[in-house]
Amino acid sequence: MKIKESWKKKLRVWRKLIFNWRFLVCFGLAWMITNGWSYLLFGLGLLLENAWMTGVGGAYMAFLWLPVSPEKIATLAICLFLVRILFPKHNRRIRAEVELASSVGEPPSDASGD
């Protein structure tokens, strides 16, 4: 039961980390860095009838939709990096909560001398 409670606390902390406006802002920025520019370039290329814009945007989007594309991993990594850089106070608070949740169920490090 201690393991189950420990996991519940950890999941609650991770949920706080992911489901907040800071993470959403950083995820949007990370998505624009990894994907958004290609959709924008492709759309503008179609609108302006510009072949190179459509070609570059479409080629990158084709790469993104391949099963072997590491785009999701890169987007998440960039997002976590941005959260860390843009919101350091929030990051320290969440880190303290993660460490507190991780220490649940472990024996105290300062044992009595009995």
Side-chain angles (χ1 to χ4, degrees):
M1 283 312 235
K2 284 187 178 184
I3 293 174
K4 187 176 179 180
E5 291 300 317
S6 172
W7 275 101
K8 280 184 181 180
K9 282 190 177 188
K10 287 179 186 177
L11 286 175
R12 271 188 239 123
V13 170
W14 280 102
R15 190 174 13 174
K16 281 184 188 177
L17 174 67
I18 294 172
F19 296 119
N20 62 59
W21 67 270
R22 295 169 192 89
F23 188 84
L24 184 64
V25 167
C26 292
F27 189 81
L29 289 171
W31 185 83
M32 283 303 292
I33 290 169
T34 58
N35 302 347
W37 67 268
S38 65
Y39 287 97
L40 188 63
L41 196 65
F42 187 76
L44 284 174
L46 288 176
L47 185 67
L48 302 173
E49 297 178 3
N50 190 323
W52 77 266
M53 290 174 122
T54 307
V56 170
Y60 190 76
M61 284 191 302
F63 169 71
L64 289 176
W65 286 89
L66 288 174
V68 295
S69 173
E71 172 265 329
K72 305 286 187 280
I73 297 167
T75 302
L76 188 62
I78 292 169
C79 176
L80 292 174
F81 173 75
L82 288 174
V83 166
R84 204 171 167 183
I85 297 300
L86 297 176
F87 304 105
K89 289 182 183 177
H90 176 71
N91 188 44
R92 280 187 291 241
R93 185 176 57 82
I94 293 293
R95 178 178 287 161
E97 288 182 23
V98 168
E99 288 173 359
L100 183 65
S102 296
S103 67
V104 171
E106 294 179 4
S109 59
D110 186 32
S112 62
D114 290 329

